[in-house]
């Protein structure tokens, strides 16, 4: 081997090692706590890796579902039910669960997301993003978690993601009624119901005035 080739080889190995160390340091910060925010290098590497991992023909796919007010409503309520727990009804990602994820769900209204192609958004919804909290929702999963039959539901969600920046107050309020309820909300609802029942005195024996304590 020529001396110059050897020098180039050693140079390449050193550059490779330096890069590997930089990435490792970047990924292993904050004791792997999920409360941290990814470093810029990590976010850059992750975004580009994801871009490369999504097949080119998937990125170029066109939305086969025609947009309409009905489709928007369906997708909106679907989003409220399945996605808002992490992404928020407005797509901001400001939710208690979103805050605790690493990486956090991005604000879906910003250019970083809006500049992705329809096909790319569709692919992400169907397949999820590995090493993140973003689940796969496609119908052909084996764990039964996904039910986006034929991908139609995911394409409708792509239309909704495009609409997020113009979400009206009325639409957001409607979504709130479709957000999954946790035990606390349900307990509160029960209390309200009980309260209302007590407030309307029916001809029940206990509510007889003479027998009140
Ligand atoms: C358990 C939490 C969680 C749920 C539920 C969830 N997501 Fe996500 N989502 C994430 C996280 C975390 C990311 C960021 C992934 C990354 O950094 O690559 C993400 C990323 C995305 C992205 C890519 C945005 C971008 O710019 O990189 C899209 C689109 C998306 N989600 C749509 C949806 C839709 C639609 C649903 C409902 C069908 C949904 N998500 C449900 C956590 C969630």
């Amino acid at each position: 081997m020529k001396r110059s080739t050897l020098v180039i080889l050693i140079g390449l190995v050193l550059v490779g090692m330096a890069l590997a160390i930089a990435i490792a340091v970047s990924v292993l910060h904050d004791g792997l706590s999920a409360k941290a925010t990814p470093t810029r290098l990590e976010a850059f590497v992750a975004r580009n890796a994801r871009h490369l991992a999504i097949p080119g023909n998937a990125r170029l796919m066109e939305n086969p579902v025609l947009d309409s007010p009905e489709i928007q409503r369906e997708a909106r309520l679907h989003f409220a039910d399945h996605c808002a727990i992490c992404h928020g009804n407005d797509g901001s990602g400001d939710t208690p669960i979103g805050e605790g994820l690493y990486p956090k769900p991005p604000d879906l209204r910003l250019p970083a997301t809006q500049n992705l192609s329809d096909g790319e958004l569709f692919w992400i919804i169907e397949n999820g993003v590995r090493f993140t909290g973003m689940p796969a929702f496609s119908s052909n999963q084996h764990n039964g978690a996904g039910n986006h039959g034929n991908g139609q539901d995911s394409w409708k969600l792509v239309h909704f993601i495009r609409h997020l920046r113009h979400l009206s107050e009325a639409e957001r309020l409607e979504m709130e009624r479709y957000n999954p309820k946790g035990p606390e909300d349900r307990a509160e609802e029960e209390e309200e119901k009980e309260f209302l029942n007590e407030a309307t005195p029916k001809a029940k024996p206990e509510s007889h005035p003479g027998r009140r304590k």
Side-chain angles (χ1 to χ4, degrees):
M1 198 187 285
K2 271 203 260 160
R3 220 176 133 202
S4 55
T5 328
L6 192 68
V7 170
I8 291 175
L9 262 181
I10 292 177
L12 276 179
V13 168
L14 285 180
V15 168
M17 273 166 60
L19 253 181
I21 290 173
I23 291 174
V25 167
S26 171
V27 171
L28 300 176
H29 60 96
D30 295 300
L32 290 182
S33 163
K35 286 189 281 186
T37 309
T39 60
R40 265 204 230 160
L41 175 66
E42 194 179 350
F44 176 81
V45 170
R47 237 184 143 72
N48 282 288
R50 193 182 73 186
H51 184 76
L52 288 176
I54 299 179
N57 54 352
R59 287 205 294 268
L60 294 176
M61 277 200 290
E62 278 179 26
N63 198 333
V65 177
L66 269 187
D67 201 1
S68 72
E70 291 75 42
I71 293 292
Q72 280 289 344
R73 180 161 192 270
E74 200 186 307
R76 198 160 66 233
L77 303 186
H78 185 172
F79 193 91
D81 190 20
H82 281 164
C83 321
I85 190 163
C86 292
H87 288 284
N89 287 326
D90 57 1
S92 64
D94 295 333
T95 62
I97 291 201
E99 293 288 306
L101 285 174
Y102 187 99
K104 300 183 186 10
D107 187 331
L108 300 177
R109 299 165 300 186
L110 296 183
T113 301
Q114 293 296 327
N115 289 345
L116 297 173
S117 67
D118 282 0
E120 201 154 9
L121 290 175
F122 172 79
W123 195 93
I124 290 171
I125 299 169
E126 287 276 297
N127 297 283
V129 183
R130 208 180 290 174
F131 309 126
T132 80
M134 176 61 199
F137 286 91
S138 71
S139 38
N140 54 7
Q141 281 182 116
H142 300 297
N143 60 14
N147 54 356
H148 287 195
N150 301 329
Q152 293 287 309
D153 285 353
S154 300
W155 282 120
K156 292 175 190 171
L157 285 165
V158 171
H159 281 311
F160 175 68
I161 290 175
R162 297 294 184 210
H163 173 69
L164 271 175
R165 279 186 294 182
H166 314 287
L167 193 71
S168 72
E169 189 60 16
E171 288 169 339
R172 204 180 51 73
L173 288 176
E174 186 191 19
M175 288 176 84
E176 273 178 18
R177 290 194 280 121
Y178 287 82
N179 289 148
K181 293 207 167 76
E184 269 174 38
D185 297 312
R186 251 174 273 160
E188 209 172 283
E189 254 183 15
E190 276 306 307
E191 270 173 32
E192 265 169 35
K193 243 192 247 161
E194 268 171 38
F195 175 78
L196 287 176
N197 280 344
E198 278 178 19
T200 41
K202 286 200 196 98
K204 274 200 237 149
E206 308 92 78
S207 65
H208 193 274
R211 288 172 64 191
R212 273 245 171 92
K213 279 177 233 158

